Amino acid sequence: MSPVSIRPAVASDAGGVVELWRLVGMMPSRTDDEASICVLIAHDPGALLLAEDESELVGTLIAGFNGWRGMLFRLAVLPERRRAGIGRALVAAGERSLRERGAVRVGLQALKTEQVARDFWLAAGFSADDYSQRYVKNL
């Protein structure tokens, strides 16, 4: 397991989260800004998990629960820190959090073109869902 600590984010972490997402090359969406992250933290204080090595932010995961199902979003680990167990530690912490909140099922979305991500999720015990498609609409 990695030598990082995992904790829930607080509002003052929002800028660092946005910067980490930029550094890992995540495609920004309408909700990838400090204000939106602060709304998430206020609404669901335990949802955004941070992996830190001492005081350096090295990874994130959003483990959201809507009272029915759990969803994982924005798993991100700094490229130079990958393959050290950080992603798996974040997923384990997210699953634990979701289980504690009452979730019995968890889902996620990964780009079909990202083979490394697909391999990670399969190795983490998830199975591919070939019969659904993601739809989005900005409000």
Side-chain angles (χ1 to χ4, degrees):
M1 196 60 78
S2 68
V4 300
S5 61
I6 297 176
R7 67 169 176 85
V10 295
S12 61
D13 294 315
V17 169
V18 170
E19 178 63 12
L20 182 128
W21 290 348
R22 185 190 68 73
L23 289 172
V24 302
M26 287 188 153
M27 292 176 25
S29 72
R30 188 170 182 179
T31 57
D32 298 333
D33 58 34
E34 290 184 43
S36 297
I37 291 168
C38 287
V39 169
L40 168 65
I41 292 167
H43 173 74
D44 191 354
L48 176 54
L49 300 173
L50 305 182
E52 294 178 316
D53 185 354
E54 296 185 16
S55 62
E56 179 189 14
L57 178 61
V58 295
T60 66
L61 176 71
I62 299 172
F65 182 58
N66 63 9
W68 181 48
R69 289 186 180 162
M71 286 293 293
L72 301 179
F73 304 94
R74 293 295 188 198
L75 175 63
V77 176
L78 288 174
E80 64 272 17
R81 298 301 302 270
R82 292 180 183 161
R83 304 201 60 79
I86 297 168
R88 284 188 181 262
L90 281 162
V91 171
E95 289 176 346
R96 202 168 31 255
S97 171
L98 290 168
R99 203 175 297 110
E100 288 169 359
R101 291 187 273 166
V104 296
R105 184 176 186 167
V106 61
L108 63 96
Q109 296 170 341
L111 295 174
K112 288 185 176 188
T113 57
E114 294 292 333
Q115 189 64 45
V116 171
R118 292 174 61 208
D119 291 345
F120 173 87
W121 290 114
L122 290 171
F126 287 77
S127 58
D129 175 356
D130 290 329
Y131 57 85
S132 65
Q133 177 66 45
R134 179 180 183 221
Y135 295 86
V136 298
K137 180 179 182 180
N138 289 330
L139 300 177

